[in-house]
Amino acid sequence: MYFSRGAGKEEFGMAQCKVIWTKTADLQLVGILEYWVNRNKSATYSKKLLKQVVKKTKQIAKTPEIFPLSDFPETRVAPLDHFSILYKIKNDLIVVTAFWDNRQDPKKLLEILRNQKTN
């Protein structure tokens, strides 16, 4: 297994599967982590959340079809407390397209996913 970060992407590799975070998903995750550090004046919650994200991402890498399809084409959603990891399976590659705070307006998420499809 390996973990690397660069050029706005994070990768987790396990056996045959590799998980890549798009720049959009990476920026969303970092933004949420920074928000909670500033709001709580402590990194404790953000560190806990990041550990949960890593654990869920490893679960996705092992069994990518375990989570249900969303309403958006070919996109699955892995729930994580108040958050969701949205991803697509492309052969032996898993692409995380969004890290979403479920308390936000879902119309914003649809707009982000639509823009990724056209880019």
Side-chain angles (χ1 to χ4, degrees):
M1 181 161 114
Y2 64 90
F3 174 83
S4 65
R5 182 179 173 128
K9 296 182 181 177
E10 294 183 25
E11 300 178 12
F12 295 87
M14 296 192 74
Q16 299 173 340
C17 270
K18 182 165 56 169
V19 177
I20 298 175
W21 285 65
T22 63
K23 185 175 182 178
T24 299
D26 189 50
L27 289 172
Q28 289 170 329
L29 174 60
V30 169
I32 288 168
L33 295 174
E34 288 176 352
Y35 168 82
W36 286 106
V37 168
N38 293 329
R39 183 178 187 274
N40 295 338
K41 307 295 183 218
S42 167
T44 303
Y45 178 72
S46 290
K47 287 179 183 178
K48 177 183 171 190
L49 179 58
L50 185 57
K51 284 182 184 179
Q52 291 175 333
V53 169
V54 170
K55 183 177 179 181
K56 186 69 73 171
T57 303
K58 288 178 183 179
Q59 185 180 15
I60 292 168
K62 282 184 181 179
T63 52
E65 294 180 350
I66 194 170
F67 296 106
L69 286 166
S70 69
D71 293 335
F72 204 77
E74 301 175 19
T75 301
R76 292 184 177 270
V77 59
L80 182 69
D81 295 328
H82 295 291
F83 305 96
S84 292
I85 299 173
L86 288 95
Y87 64 96
K88 293 183 178 187
I89 304 169
K90 299 192 179 207
N91 299 322
D92 61 348
L93 182 67
I94 297 164
V95 180
V96 176
T97 56
F99 183 79
W100 191 250
D101 184 331
N102 297 326
R103 296 165 287 195
Q104 293 186 31
D105 182 356
K107 291 177 186 174
K108 287 171 46 180
L109 176 59
L110 286 174
E111 184 178 324
I112 290 167
L113 293 174
R114 281 190 186 116
N115 286 339
Q116 285 182 346
K117 186 176 182 181
T118 59
N119 292 340

